[in-house]
Amino acid sequence: MRLQLCTLLVGLGVPALSRSLSSFENKCQSLAEKIELDYTFNVNIAEYVAPNTTIDLAAEGLNATCAESGANATASIAVGMCRLNLRVATSKKSEVYMEVWLPENWEGRTLMTGNGGLAGCIQYSELTYGASYGFASFGTNNGHNGTSGGAFFHQPDVYEDYAWRSVYTGAVVGKSITEQFYGDSCGKSYYIGCSTGGRQGWKAVQKNPELFDGVIVGAPVIDLWGHVGFFGYVRQTLGFNTSEITLAQWAVVQNEVLNQCDGLDGAHDGILEDPTACQFDWTPLLCSSPSNNTCLTPTQVEATTKLFNPITYNETFIYPGQNHGFEPSVISLLYSPLVLDWLPEIFRYLVYQDLSWDPTTFTLQDILYAQNNDPQNLNTFDGDISAFHRRGGKIIHWHGSADPLIGRRTSDLYYDKVRSTLNASVAELDEFYRYFPTSGVGHCRDGPGAWFMGQLGGTTAADTPDDSMLKRIVLWVEQGAAPKFVRGTKFINDTVALGVEFTRKHCKYPEVNRYTGTEEGLNEDGWACVEP
Ligand SMILES: *[C@@H]1O[C@H](CO)[C@@H](O)[C@H](O)[C@H]1NC(C)=O
Ligand SMILES: *[C@@H]1O[C@H](CO)[C@@H](O)[C@H](O)[C@H]1NC(C)=O
Ligand SMILES: *[C@@H]1O[C@H](CO)[C@@H](O)[C@H](O)[C@H]1NC(C)=O
Ligand SMILES: *[C@@H]1O[C@H](CO)[C@@H](O)[C@H](O)[C@H]1NC(C)=O
Ligand SMILES: *[C@@H]1O[C@H](CO)[C@@H](O)[C@H](O)[C@H]1NC(C)=O
Ligand SMILES: *[C@@H]1O[C@H](CO)[C@@H](O)[C@H](O)[C@H]1NC(C)=O
Ligand SMILES: *[C@@H]1O[C@H](CO)[C@@H](O)[C@H](O)[C@H]1NC(C)=O
Ligand SMILES: *[C@@H]1O[C@H](CO)[C@@H](O)[C@H](O)[C@H]1NC(C)=O
Ligand SMILES: *[C@@H]1O[C@H](CO)[C@@H](O)[C@H](O)[C@H]1NC(C)=O
């Protein structure tokens, strides 16, 4: 397919700025008739959007399940842009519905965005983020609409879009339209995504290494069957619809974890810098009967312990276990309605293609089956990323150490796997692949830690490369300035207007953060990255 690589760039940054508004508008209105693609497509919207216009996505038919799962129902950017919405066939039986946002202040780069969960939801917040910073920005619906995986049922082409092809097609089409619109090379190509979006980014690195020059991959659902195994295993162990161990008990567990392990990093701040260092002793929590919520019976301790240790089945490794320090979040999220639905959806629509599959029958045997019958390699755990290295690509991989949904330890394992597959030292991987575990950060955002890192839309604390992953990846790709750390900012009550509570430099794996300062851990200069 042509234009996976952008043609050689000339005159970066100049052309868009020198055009008058009306010529930009006119060019936008006539874009729909002029586009040529190597795909069957049709344009739904091609219109100039003035600065600060609020786009009413709900009125345009944004799938209600997307809004329910937390997506904004409106979008607004402070710059003018040409907005294109189109459908592109990915096979005879599948298509993506996608957006291409072409900003007036184009700086000669493109940004492809990923998705989340099983979702067919365009990530408008990342489109906004990219376009605001002068990227021609694209995103697709992942080949289907809404948060359900029902569209995969007996539709291998839709499944293939989900596994890898929606990102591939979206990026190829987006780059081509960018060149056609600005009449110039599309420049360096970037990717940003978290969760499923993190998996999609890794998939592109592994399978289509020519597609992007720089990728930001957060909390990736790589080793996907391991994570699904954990979702099922938790329910098998603690109860199918509700946890037999109450949230109040989990809060007691968390308190005891912090009591035992919070100080290991030198600061009692409610955040475990290196949760893997916590050798938790459950005995202080034991009681003979669960007469109140302040203790656990031996049977309960036996059950809960399983979730924090490696999980194997028939001598096959399944999952490395969750981290300690945020136990109530793990349970409330895994037992939330959306996540409860994933187990039946994944097995009914993807794995067995059988609507009668009964999720209460789940065992880890089902995961072995899924691992061995994975037509599109949804697992996305290949360690050989040498082709991406050879083409000069750069990867910022990050994962919240307090991620209650997609446990961080899988990312540690993946980094180690790439190292052993490529027989590379940390210094050699540093040339193109750097991994940052981010303490106290939840799933993609939130958490008690310093989580504003410019990793997604709506997470910008400052525009400096140390504070913004988007700025950093550009600087690394285009000027060789690699990240030594990632600075996160914690705002008071997570509200920017209330001001900064603290900042922290998150270390590059395998280093860990140690505090030697004197201000209860809130001074970022009191921390240092050290060998574990
Ligand atoms: C868009 O909104 C921002 C923030 O409110 C403002 O600073 C800017 O002047 C606005 N731009 C235009 C063109 O109105
Ligand atoms: C997805 O939603 C869009 C917008 O409503 C619609 O045009 C498109 O046909 C839908 N695609 C599928 C596969 O349902
Ligand atoms: C909206 O999403 C739901 C859940 O994924 C899906 O069943 C439905 O078909 C979608 N609606 C449209 C109009 O695409
Ligand atoms: C779980 O909850 C669902 C929905 O409320 C219900 O239909 C199902 O019977 C429950 N299953 C079990 C094992 O309790
Ligand atoms: C709860 O049970 C523990 C152990 O049996 C006991 O020490 C504690 O006093 C009880 N707490 C309350 C509030 O009853
Ligand atoms: C367990 O593994 C052995 C050896 O690989 C295999 O022969 C056997 O069928 C497996 N059992 C189950 C229940 O998967
Ligand atoms: C791995 O790299 C080391 C150091 O460069 C080298 O000595 C060793 O032979 C390599 N091993 C393999 C299996 O290539
Ligand atoms: C949703 O919109 C609000 C207001 O524009 C913005 O502050 C917030 O960051 C957006 N959320 C996401 C997830 O983009
Ligand atoms: C932060 O949130 C807490 C709990 O909602 C509230 O009690 C407190 O007043 C808030 N602090 C500020 C500075 O708004």
Side-chain angles (χ1 to χ4, degrees), residues 227 272-276 319-323 326 397 399-403 406-413 435-439 509 512:
H227 293 287
L272 306 186
E273 283 296 325
D274 179 16
T276 58
Y319 189 71
Q322 249 297 4
N323 280 333
F326 45 97
H397 172 182
H399 204 136
S401 297
D403 188 326
I406 300 300
R408 178 204 123 179
R409 288 194 211 169
T410 303
S411 279
D412 301 3
L413 288 183
Y435 165 45
F436 299 90
T438 53
S439 62
Y509 185 85
V512 295

PDB file of all heavy atoms in Angstrom, residues 227 272-276 319-323 326 397 399-403 406-413 435-439 509 512:
ATOM      1  N   HIS A 227      -4.598 -11.171  30.783  1.00  0.00           N
ATOM      2  CA  HIS A 227      -5.494 -10.240  31.481  1.00  0.00           C
ATOM      3  C   HIS A 227      -6.916 -10.792  31.540  1.00  0.00           C
ATOM      4  O   HIS A 227      -7.576 -10.709  32.575  1.00  0.00           O
ATOM      5  CB  HIS A 227      -5.483  -8.876  30.787  1.00  0.00           C
ATOM      6  CG  HIS A 227      -4.168  -8.168  30.910  1.00  0.00           C
ATOM      7  ND1 HIS A 227      -3.734  -7.597  32.085  1.00  0.00           N
ATOM      8  CD2 HIS A 227      -3.178  -7.968  30.007  1.00  0.00           C
ATOM      9  CE1 HIS A 227      -2.538  -7.068  31.896  1.00  0.00           C
ATOM     10  NE2 HIS A 227      -2.181  -7.275  30.646  1.00  0.00           N
ATOM     11  N   LEU A 272       3.152   3.429  46.577  1.00  0.00           N
ATOM     12  CA  LEU A 272       4.260   2.482  46.501  1.00  0.00           C
ATOM     13  C   LEU A 272       5.018   2.743  45.205  1.00  0.00           C
ATOM     14  O   LEU A 272       4.476   2.534  44.122  1.00  0.00           O
ATOM     15  CB  LEU A 272       3.763   1.030  46.508  1.00  0.00           C
ATOM     16  CG  LEU A 272       2.837   0.587  47.646  1.00  0.00           C
ATOM     17  CD1 LEU A 272       2.580  -0.918  47.554  1.00  0.00           C
ATOM     18  CD2 LEU A 272       3.418   0.934  48.998  1.00  0.00           C
ATOM     19  N   GLU A 273       6.259   3.225  45.309  1.00  0.00           N
ATOM     20  CA  GLU A 273       7.027   3.471  44.083  1.00  0.00           C
ATOM     21  C   GLU A 273       7.302   2.163  43.347  1.00  0.00           C
ATOM     22  O   GLU A 273       7.262   2.104  42.128  1.00  0.00           O
ATOM     23  CB  GLU A 273       8.338   4.184  44.411  1.00  0.00           C
ATOM     24  CG  GLU A 273       8.166   5.663  44.704  1.00  0.00           C
ATOM     25  CD  GLU A 273       7.664   6.452  43.509  1.00  0.00           C
ATOM     26  OE1 GLU A 273       8.028   6.128  42.365  1.00  0.00           O
ATOM     27  OE2 GLU A 273       6.880   7.397  43.713  1.00  0.00           O
ATOM     28  N   ASP A 274       7.601   1.118  44.127  1.00  0.00           N
ATOM     29  CA  ASP A 274       7.887  -0.179  43.504  1.00  0.00           C
ATOM     30  C   ASP A 274       7.059  -1.253  44.188  1.00  0.00           C
ATOM     31  O   ASP A 274       7.516  -1.921  45.107  1.00  0.00           O
ATOM     32  CB  ASP A 274       9.385  -0.498  43.635  1.00  0.00           C
ATOM     33  CG  ASP A 274       9.714  -1.849  43.028  1.00  0.00           C
ATOM     34  OD1 ASP A 274       8.879  -2.388  42.262  1.00  0.00           O
ATOM     35  OD2 ASP A 274      10.805  -2.380  43.326  1.00  0.00           O
ATOM     36  N   PRO A 275       5.788  -1.405  43.756  1.00  0.00           N
ATOM     37  CA  PRO A 275       4.914  -2.362  44.438  1.00  0.00           C
ATOM     38  C   PRO A 275       5.461  -3.788  44.390  1.00  0.00           C
ATOM     39  O   PRO A 275       5.139  -4.602  45.250  1.00  0.00           O
ATOM     40  CB  PRO A 275       3.593  -2.269  43.673  1.00  0.00           C
ATOM     41  CG  PRO A 275       3.728  -1.163  42.704  1.00  0.00           C
ATOM     42  CD  PRO A 275       5.155  -0.751  42.610  1.00  0.00           C
ATOM     43  N   THR A 276       6.292  -4.093  43.393  1.00  0.00           N
ATOM     44  CA  THR A 276       6.801  -5.467  43.306  1.00  0.00           C
ATOM     45  C   THR A 276       7.748  -5.773  44.472  1.00  0.00           C
ATOM     46  O   THR A 276       8.040  -6.927  44.738  1.00  0.00           O
ATOM     47  CB  THR A 276       7.526  -5.707  41.961  1.00  0.00           C
ATOM     48  OG1 THR A 276       8.602  -4.761  41.838  1.00  0.00           O
ATOM     49  CG2 THR A 276       6.587  -5.536  40.786  1.00  0.00           C
ATOM     50  N   TYR A 319      -0.614 -15.511  34.185  1.00  0.00           N
ATOM     51  CA  TYR A 319      -0.656 -14.086  34.546  1.00  0.00           C
ATOM     52  C   TYR A 319       0.268 -13.830  35.729  1.00  0.00           C
ATOM     53  O   TYR A 319       0.322 -14.643  36.648  1.00  0.00           O
ATOM     54  CB  TYR A 319      -2.102 -13.712  34.906  1.00  0.00           C
ATOM     55  CG  TYR A 319      -2.346 -12.241  35.102  1.00  0.00           C
ATOM     56  CD1 TYR A 319      -2.337 -11.374  34.018  1.00  0.00           C
ATOM     57  CD2 TYR A 319      -2.587 -11.717  36.370  1.00  0.00           C
ATOM     58  CE1 TYR A 319      -2.559 -10.011  34.187  1.00  0.00           C
ATOM     59  CE2 TYR A 319      -2.817 -10.362  36.550  1.00  0.00           C
ATOM     60  CZ  TYR A 319      -2.803  -9.516  35.456  1.00  0.00           C
ATOM     61  OH  TYR A 319      -3.030  -8.174  35.631  1.00  0.00           O
ATOM     62  N   PRO A 320       0.973 -12.693  35.741  1.00  0.00           N
ATOM     63  CA  PRO A 320       1.947 -12.462  36.811  1.00  0.00           C
ATOM     64  C   PRO A 320       1.342 -12.027  38.143  1.00  0.00           C
ATOM     65  O   PRO A 320       2.058 -11.947  39.139  1.00  0.00           O
ATOM     66  CB  PRO A 320       2.826 -11.341  36.236  1.00  0.00           C
ATOM     67  CG  PRO A 320       1.962 -10.635  35.253  1.00  0.00           C
ATOM     68  CD  PRO A 320       1.042 -11.672  34.688  1.00  0.00           C
ATOM     69  N   GLY A 321       0.029 -11.731  38.175  1.00  0.00           N
ATOM     70  CA  GLY A 321      -0.602 -11.275  39.420  1.00  0.00           C
ATOM     71  C   GLY A 321      -0.674  -9.757  39.473  1.00  0.00           C
ATOM     72  O   GLY A 321       0.015  -9.057  38.742  1.00  0.00           O
ATOM     73  N   GLN A 322      -1.564  -9.264  40.362  1.00  0.00           N
ATOM     74  CA  GLN A 322      -1.732  -7.816  40.506  1.00  0.00           C
ATOM     75  C   GLN A 322      -0.704  -7.269  41.499  1.00  0.00           C
ATOM     76  O   GLN A 322      -0.071  -8.029  42.227  1.00  0.00           O
ATOM     77  CB  GLN A 322      -3.149  -7.484  41.000  1.00  0.00           C
ATOM     78  CG  GLN A 322      -4.038  -6.787  39.992  1.00  0.00           C
ATOM     79  CD  GLN A 322      -3.535  -5.401  39.554  1.00  0.00           C
ATOM     80  OE1 GLN A 322      -2.463  -4.920  39.913  1.00  0.00           O
ATOM     81  NE2 GLN A 322      -4.335  -4.739  38.729  1.00  0.00           N
ATOM     82  N   ASN A 323      -0.551  -5.964  41.491  1.00  0.00           N
ATOM     83  CA  ASN A 323       0.279  -5.289  42.480  1.00  0.00           C
ATOM     84  C   ASN A 323      -0.553  -4.929  43.701  1.00  0.00           C
ATOM     85  O   ASN A 323      -1.772  -4.752  43.612  1.00  0.00           O
ATOM     86  CB  ASN A 323       0.863  -4.002  41.884  1.00  0.00           C
ATOM     87  CG  ASN A 323       2.070  -4.282  41.009  1.00  0.00           C
ATOM     88  OD1 ASN A 323       2.775  -5.274  41.196  1.00  0.00           O
ATOM     89  ND2 ASN A 323       2.314  -3.405  40.056  1.00  0.00           N
ATOM     90  N   PHE A 326      -3.652  -0.804  46.116  1.00  0.00           N
ATOM     91  CA  PHE A 326      -4.865  -0.118  45.646  1.00  0.00           C
ATOM     92  C   PHE A 326      -5.976  -1.159  45.503  1.00  0.00           C
ATOM     93  O   PHE A 326      -6.754  -1.142  44.544  1.00  0.00           O
ATOM     94  CB  PHE A 326      -4.599   0.614  44.319  1.00  0.00           C
ATOM     95  CG  PHE A 326      -3.826  -0.218  43.334  1.00  0.00           C
ATOM     96  CD1 PHE A 326      -4.489  -0.925  42.335  1.00  0.00           C
ATOM     97  CD2 PHE A 326      -2.451  -0.321  43.416  1.00  0.00           C
ATOM     98  CE1 PHE A 326      -3.794  -1.713  41.445  1.00  0.00           C
ATOM     99  CE2 PHE A 326      -1.740  -1.125  42.522  1.00  0.00           C
ATOM    100  CZ  PHE A 326      -2.419  -1.805  41.546  1.00  0.00           C
ATOM    101  N   HIS A 397       6.881   3.711  26.316  1.00  0.00           N
ATOM    102  CA  HIS A 397       5.925   2.768  26.898  1.00  0.00           C
ATOM    103  C   HIS A 397       5.791   3.170  28.363  1.00  0.00           C
ATOM    104  O   HIS A 397       6.792   3.387  29.028  1.00  0.00           O
ATOM    105  CB  HIS A 397       6.534   1.361  26.739  1.00  0.00           C
ATOM    106  CG  HIS A 397       5.809   0.233  27.425  1.00  0.00           C
ATOM    107  ND1 HIS A 397       6.288  -1.059  27.379  1.00  0.00           N
ATOM    108  CD2 HIS A 397       4.661   0.173  28.153  1.00  0.00           C
ATOM    109  CE1 HIS A 397       5.472  -1.863  28.050  1.00  0.00           C
ATOM    110  NE2 HIS A 397       4.478  -1.140  28.525  1.00  0.00           N
ATOM    111  N   HIS A 399       3.235   2.640  32.123  1.00  0.00           N
ATOM    112  CA  HIS A 399       2.162   1.859  32.744  1.00  0.00           C
ATOM    113  C   HIS A 399       2.015   2.300  34.195  1.00  0.00           C
ATOM    114  O   HIS A 399       3.000   2.326  34.933  1.00  0.00           O
ATOM    115  CB  HIS A 399       2.490   0.363  32.683  1.00  0.00           C
ATOM    116  CG  HIS A 399       1.282  -0.512  32.758  1.00  0.00           C
ATOM    117  ND1 HIS A 399       1.086  -1.614  31.957  1.00  0.00           N
ATOM    118  CD2 HIS A 399       0.162  -0.425  33.539  1.00  0.00           C
ATOM    119  CE1 HIS A 399      -0.082  -2.175  32.243  1.00  0.00           C
ATOM    120  NE2 HIS A 399      -0.658  -1.469  33.199  1.00  0.00           N
ATOM    121  N   GLY A 400       0.807   2.645  34.599  1.00  0.00           N
ATOM    122  CA  GLY A 400       0.555   3.042  35.981  1.00  0.00           C
ATOM    123  C   GLY A 400       0.810   1.865  36.927  1.00  0.00           C
ATOM    124  O   GLY A 400       0.261   0.786  36.735  1.00  0.00           O
ATOM    125  N   SER A 401       1.625   2.112  37.954  1.00  0.00           N
ATOM    126  CA  SER A 401       1.905   1.042  38.927  1.00  0.00           C
ATOM    127  C   SER A 401       0.691   0.751  39.792  1.00  0.00           C
ATOM    128  O   SER A 401       0.657  -0.252  40.488  1.00  0.00           O
ATOM    129  CB  SER A 401       3.077   1.445  39.817  1.00  0.00           C
ATOM    130  OG  SER A 401       4.237   1.587  39.039  1.00  0.00           O
ATOM    131  N   ALA A 402      -0.292   1.656  39.787  1.00  0.00           N
ATOM    132  CA  ALA A 402      -1.528   1.438  40.534  1.00  0.00           C
ATOM    133  C   ALA A 402      -2.698   1.228  39.561  1.00  0.00           C
ATOM    134  O   ALA A 402      -3.819   1.633  39.831  1.00  0.00           O
ATOM    135  CB  ALA A 402      -1.800   2.624  41.460  1.00  0.00           C
ATOM    136  N   ASP A 403      -2.425   0.588  38.438  1.00  0.00           N
ATOM    137  CA  ASP A 403      -3.483   0.320  37.446  1.00  0.00           C
ATOM    138  C   ASP A 403      -4.334  -0.839  37.940  1.00  0.00           C
ATOM    139  O   ASP A 403      -3.868  -1.974  37.996  1.00  0.00           O
ATOM    140  CB  ASP A 403      -2.849  -0.006  36.093  1.00  0.00           C
ATOM    141  CG  ASP A 403      -3.871  -0.105  34.972  1.00  0.00           C
ATOM    142  OD1 ASP A 403      -5.015  -0.550  35.233  1.00  0.00           O
ATOM    143  OD2 ASP A 403      -3.534   0.250  33.829  1.00  0.00           O
ATOM    144  N   ILE A 406      -5.616  -3.235  34.196  1.00  0.00           N
ATOM    145  CA  ILE A 406      -4.606  -3.917  33.395  1.00  0.00           C
ATOM    146  C   ILE A 406      -3.308  -3.857  34.203  1.00  0.00           C
ATOM    147  O   ILE A 406      -2.608  -2.843  34.201  1.00  0.00           O
ATOM    148  CB  ILE A 406      -4.466  -3.221  32.019  1.00  0.00           C
ATOM    149  CG1 ILE A 406      -5.796  -3.257  31.260  1.00  0.00           C
ATOM    150  CG2 ILE A 406      -3.362  -3.858  31.179  1.00  0.00           C
ATOM    151  CD1 ILE A 406      -6.339  -4.651  30.973  1.00  0.00           C
ATOM    152  N   GLY A 407      -3.050  -4.920  34.942  1.00  0.00           N
ATOM    153  CA  GLY A 407      -1.941  -4.898  35.900  1.00  0.00           C
ATOM    154  C   GLY A 407      -0.598  -4.597  35.233  1.00  0.00           C
ATOM    155  O   GLY A 407      -0.315  -5.069  34.135  1.00  0.00           O
ATOM    156  N   ARG A 408       0.200  -3.809  35.948  1.00  0.00           N
ATOM    157  CA  ARG A 408       1.457  -3.329  35.373  1.00  0.00           C
ATOM    158  C   ARG A 408       2.486  -4.424  35.144  1.00  0.00           C
ATOM    159  O   ARG A 408       3.357  -4.313  34.282  1.00  0.00           O
ATOM    160  CB  ARG A 408       2.046  -2.283  36.326  1.00  0.00           C
ATOM    161  CG  ARG A 408       3.369  -1.740  35.869  1.00  0.00           C
ATOM    162  CD  ARG A 408       4.184  -1.190  37.030  1.00  0.00           C
ATOM    163  NE  ARG A 408       5.472  -1.826  37.114  1.00  0.00           N
ATOM    164  CZ  ARG A 408       6.379  -1.507  38.022  1.00  0.00           C
ATOM    165  NH1 ARG A 408       6.125  -0.593  38.921  1.00  0.00           N
ATOM    166  NH2 ARG A 408       7.539  -2.135  38.033  1.00  0.00           N
ATOM    167  N   ARG A 409       2.427  -5.485  35.935  1.00  0.00           N
ATOM    168  CA  ARG A 409       3.522  -6.461  35.866  1.00  0.00           C
ATOM    169  C   ARG A 409       3.675  -7.056  34.471  1.00  0.00           C
ATOM    170  O   ARG A 409       4.761  -7.483  34.084  1.00  0.00           O
ATOM    171  CB  ARG A 409       3.293  -7.590  36.876  1.00  0.00           C
ATOM    172  CG  ARG A 409       3.514  -7.141  38.298  1.00  0.00           C
ATOM    173  CD  ARG A 409       3.608  -8.370  39.191  1.00  0.00           C
ATOM    174  NE  ARG A 409       3.112  -8.104  40.525  1.00  0.00           N
ATOM    175  CZ  ARG A 409       2.882  -9.061  41.421  1.00  0.00           C
ATOM    176  NH1 ARG A 409       3.072 -10.322  41.118  1.00  0.00           N
ATOM    177  NH2 ARG A 409       2.442  -8.740  42.612  1.00  0.00           N
ATOM    178  N   THR A 410       2.588  -7.088  33.694  1.00  0.00           N
ATOM    179  CA  THR A 410       2.686  -7.592  32.327  1.00  0.00           C
ATOM    180  C   THR A 410       3.621  -6.717  31.489  1.00  0.00           C
ATOM    181  O   THR A 410       4.361  -7.223  30.649  1.00  0.00           O
ATOM    182  CB  THR A 410       1.287  -7.637  31.680  1.00  0.00           C
ATOM    183  OG1 THR A 410       0.447  -8.444  32.500  1.00  0.00           O
ATOM    184  CG2 THR A 410       1.331  -8.215  30.291  1.00  0.00           C
ATOM    185  N   SER A 411       3.587  -5.408  31.728  1.00  0.00           N
ATOM    186  CA  SER A 411       4.488  -4.522  30.992  1.00  0.00           C
ATOM    187  C   SER A 411       5.943  -4.785  31.380  1.00  0.00           C
ATOM    188  O   SER A 411       6.834  -4.760  30.529  1.00  0.00           O
ATOM    189  CB  SER A 411       4.129  -3.048  31.252  1.00  0.00           C
ATOM    190  OG  SER A 411       3.035  -2.649  30.429  1.00  0.00           O
ATOM    191  N   ASP A 412       6.183  -5.048  32.681  1.00  0.00           N
ATOM    192  CA  ASP A 412       7.542  -5.400  33.106  1.00  0.00           C
ATOM    193  C   ASP A 412       8.008  -6.644  32.340  1.00  0.00           C
ATOM    194  O   ASP A 412       9.130  -6.698  31.829  1.00  0.00           O
ATOM    195  CB  ASP A 412       7.588  -5.723  34.610  1.00  0.00           C
ATOM    196  CG  ASP A 412       7.134  -4.574  35.502  1.00  0.00           C
ATOM    197  OD1 ASP A 412       6.718  -3.526  34.978  1.00  0.00           O
ATOM    198  OD2 ASP A 412       7.190  -4.742  36.736  1.00  0.00           O
ATOM    199  N   LEU A 413       7.110  -7.648  32.289  1.00  0.00           N
ATOM    200  CA  LEU A 413       7.465  -8.901  31.619  1.00  0.00           C
ATOM    201  C   LEU A 413       7.750  -8.672  30.137  1.00  0.00           C
ATOM    202  O   LEU A 413       8.646  -9.286  29.566  1.00  0.00           O
ATOM    203  CB  LEU A 413       6.318  -9.920  31.737  1.00  0.00           C
ATOM    204  CG  LEU A 413       6.073 -10.546  33.093  1.00  0.00           C
ATOM    205  CD1 LEU A 413       4.947 -11.565  32.984  1.00  0.00           C
ATOM    206  CD2 LEU A 413       7.344 -11.214  33.617  1.00  0.00           C
ATOM    207  N   TYR A 435      10.820   2.351  28.824  1.00  0.00           N
ATOM    208  CA  TYR A 435       9.603   1.981  29.559  1.00  0.00           C
ATOM    209  C   TYR A 435       9.591   2.678  30.924  1.00  0.00           C
ATOM    210  O   TYR A 435      10.560   2.601  31.666  1.00  0.00           O
ATOM    211  CB  TYR A 435       9.558   0.456  29.706  1.00  0.00           C
ATOM    212  CG  TYR A 435       8.575  -0.071  30.734  1.00  0.00           C
ATOM    213  CD1 TYR A 435       7.276   0.435  30.815  1.00  0.00           C
ATOM    214  CD2 TYR A 435       8.933  -1.081  31.613  1.00  0.00           C
ATOM    215  CE1 TYR A 435       6.385  -0.038  31.757  1.00  0.00           C
ATOM    216  CE2 TYR A 435       8.044  -1.569  32.566  1.00  0.00           C
ATOM    217  CZ  TYR A 435       6.782  -1.044  32.644  1.00  0.00           C
ATOM    218  OH  TYR A 435       5.893  -1.511  33.590  1.00  0.00           O
ATOM    219  N   PHE A 436       8.475   3.353  31.230  1.00  0.00           N
ATOM    220  CA  PHE A 436       8.338   4.111  32.469  1.00  0.00           C
ATOM    221  C   PHE A 436       7.146   3.618  33.287  1.00  0.00           C
ATOM    222  O   PHE A 436       6.000   3.938  32.954  1.00  0.00           O
ATOM    223  CB  PHE A 436       8.141   5.600  32.164  1.00  0.00           C
ATOM    224  CG  PHE A 436       9.299   6.200  31.425  1.00  0.00           C
ATOM    225  CD1 PHE A 436       9.325   6.204  30.033  1.00  0.00           C
ATOM    226  CD2 PHE A 436      10.372   6.736  32.114  1.00  0.00           C
ATOM    227  CE1 PHE A 436      10.404   6.730  29.340  1.00  0.00           C
ATOM    228  CE2 PHE A 436      11.454   7.266  31.430  1.00  0.00           C
ATOM    229  CZ  PHE A 436      11.472   7.257  30.040  1.00  0.00           C
ATOM    230  N   PRO A 437       7.399   2.827  34.344  1.00  0.00           N
ATOM    231  CA  PRO A 437       6.317   2.546  35.287  1.00  0.00           C
ATOM    232  C   PRO A 437       6.028   3.843  36.046  1.00  0.00           C
ATOM    233  O   PRO A 437       6.962   4.530  36.474  1.00  0.00           O
ATOM    234  CB  PRO A 437       6.921   1.496  36.216  1.00  0.00           C
ATOM    235  CG  PRO A 437       8.178   1.025  35.558  1.00  0.00           C
ATOM    236  CD  PRO A 437       8.656   2.164  34.713  1.00  0.00           C
ATOM    237  N   THR A 438       4.761   4.207  36.191  1.00  0.00           N
ATOM    238  CA  THR A 438       4.431   5.498  36.792  1.00  0.00           C
ATOM    239  C   THR A 438       3.689   5.253  38.102  1.00  0.00           C
ATOM    240  O   THR A 438       2.555   4.780  38.103  1.00  0.00           O
ATOM    241  CB  THR A 438       3.596   6.356  35.815  1.00  0.00           C
ATOM    242  OG1 THR A 438       2.470   5.595  35.384  1.00  0.00           O
ATOM    243  CG2 THR A 438       4.405   6.735  34.588  1.00  0.00           C
ATOM    244  N   SER A 439       4.347   5.593  39.201  1.00  0.00           N
ATOM    245  CA  SER A 439       3.831   5.237  40.525  1.00  0.00           C
ATOM    246  C   SER A 439       2.519   5.949  40.829  1.00  0.00           C
ATOM    247  O   SER A 439       2.340   7.121  40.488  1.00  0.00           O
ATOM    248  CB  SER A 439       4.858   5.614  41.590  1.00  0.00           C
ATOM    249  OG  SER A 439       5.072   7.011  41.582  1.00  0.00           O
ATOM    250  N   TYR A 509      12.391   2.195  33.719  1.00  0.00           N
ATOM    251  CA  TYR A 509      12.596   0.795  34.105  1.00  0.00           C
ATOM    252  C   TYR A 509      13.947   0.315  33.570  1.00  0.00           C
ATOM    253  O   TYR A 509      14.324   0.707  32.466  1.00  0.00           O
ATOM    254  CB  TYR A 509      11.460  -0.035  33.493  1.00  0.00           C
ATOM    255  CG  TYR A 509      11.423  -1.490  33.872  1.00  0.00           C
ATOM    256  CD1 TYR A 509      10.806  -1.906  35.049  1.00  0.00           C
ATOM    257  CD2 TYR A 509      11.991  -2.457  33.041  1.00  0.00           C
ATOM    258  CE1 TYR A 509      10.744  -3.251  35.377  1.00  0.00           C
ATOM    259  CE2 TYR A 509      11.935  -3.801  33.379  1.00  0.00           C
ATOM    260  CZ  TYR A 509      11.310  -4.185  34.547  1.00  0.00           C
ATOM    261  OH  TYR A 509      11.248  -5.514  34.872  1.00  0.00           O
ATOM    262  N   VAL A 512      14.277   2.242  39.970  1.00  0.00           N
ATOM    263  CA  VAL A 512      13.141   2.571  40.839  1.00  0.00           C
ATOM    264  C   VAL A 512      13.447   3.857  41.594  1.00  0.00           C
ATOM    265  O   VAL A 512      14.602   4.228  41.766  1.00  0.00           O
ATOM    266  CB  VAL A 512      12.821   1.427  41.832  1.00  0.00           C
ATOM    267  CG1 VAL A 512      12.361   0.187  41.094  1.00  0.00           C
ATOM    268  CG2 VAL A 512      14.018   1.116  42.717  1.00  0.00           C
TER     269      VAL A 512
END
